[in-house]
Amino acid sequence: MLNIGRPKQGETLVVAAASGLVGSLVGQIGKLHGCRVVGVAGGAEKCRYVREELGFDVALDHHAADLAEQLRSACPDGIDIYFENVGGHVWNAVFPLLNDFARIPLCGLVAHYSDVGPPAGPDRLVAFMRAVLTKRWTVQGFIVSDFGAQIDDFRRDVSAWLQAGKVKYREDIVEGLANAPMAFIGLLKGRNFGKLLVRVSQ
Ligand SMILES: NC(=O)c1ccc[n+]([C@@H]2O[C@H](COP(=O)([O-])OP(=O)(O)OC[C@H]3O[C@@H](n4cnc5c(N)ncnc54)[C@H](OP(=O)(O)O)[C@@H]3O)[C@@H](O)[C@H]2O)c1
């Protein structure tokens, strides 16, 4: 979020999978850096949590048929940072709203992990590449360990925010290793609510 997203005061940040561990922390860090934060999550309960407990400015349910229109209304100045966890129809709604010089930290594509072939057409790769060129976007994929050298900064800052109540988190604990496969499949369908953990023993 900080290395690739480079948040600035007053910018608009959109976060996909906003109620999960990654998305919830990204959005809260965006708020702490003065961004207007719009979260996208699945269902009314997750959206209420994102808005009322995590303090995002707006939370939108991606199951809504008019997600693209709702997102446009929620981002009147366009989108400066899109933290991508999902892909799929959420990306489709975000794509036309991204501003010049937008930053797109590409963390995950959970909507596509079960894909068994190329997506249905039309092929939009050229439109995407043209937008990256003409709008001068920064799109950077990363694996969290790429920033391993900053783990001490992360622990210092996030620990202080947790202790001060500036950052909140939620865990979704599944009991028993035997339930791990179903829990993992559920993660791909949005059945988890918060960081999904499997407790293998007490
Ligand atoms: N790059 C890295 O190093 C790294 C490290 C950890 C995680 N990740 C990625 O970060 C993302 C979030 O991970 P997490 O552990 O915090 O998981 P999470 O957000 O707690 O769980 C995944 C969430 O994705 C949403 N989702 C699933 N299918 C979707 C779809 N078709 N369309 C829209 N949303 C969908 C669901 O939430 P809703 O009910 O809200 O739809 C689900 O709860 C994942 O893509 C993961 O692979 C990357």
Side-chain angles (χ1 to χ4, degrees), residues 20-22 42 46 62 85-86 107-108 111 113 142-144 188 190 192:
L21 183 81
V22 173
K46 287 183 178 180
H62 69 76
N85 284 320
V86 165
C107 177
Y113 294 162
F142 69 95
I143 300 298
V144 65
L188 301 176
N192 65 307

Side-chain angles (χ1 to χ4, degrees), residues 54-139:
L54 301 182
F56 287 32
D57 297 283
V58 179
L60 302 178
D61 182 356
H62 69 76
H63 298 308
D66 63 345
L67 173 67
E69 290 74 27
Q70 287 192 40
L71 190 63
R72 188 176 290 279
S73 302
C75 303
D77 299 325
I79 299 170
D80 301 297
I81 308 167
Y82 174 51
F83 196 96
E84 176 64 292
N85 284 320
V86 165
H89 66 296
V90 179
W91 164 253
N92 290 341
V94 165
F95 177 72
L97 304 178
L98 286 160
N99 289 331
D100 287 359
F101 301 102
R103 285 84 67 198
I104 307 169
L106 178 39
C107 177
L109 291 169
V110 67
H112 301 284
Y113 294 162
S114 300
D115 287 356
V116 292
D123 183 346
R124 282 173 287 184
L125 180 61
V126 173
F128 170 72
M129 298 290 270
R130 182 177 292 136
V132 171
L133 170 63
T134 59
K135 298 188 174 182
R136 289 87 96 205
W137 294 344
T138 299
V139 183

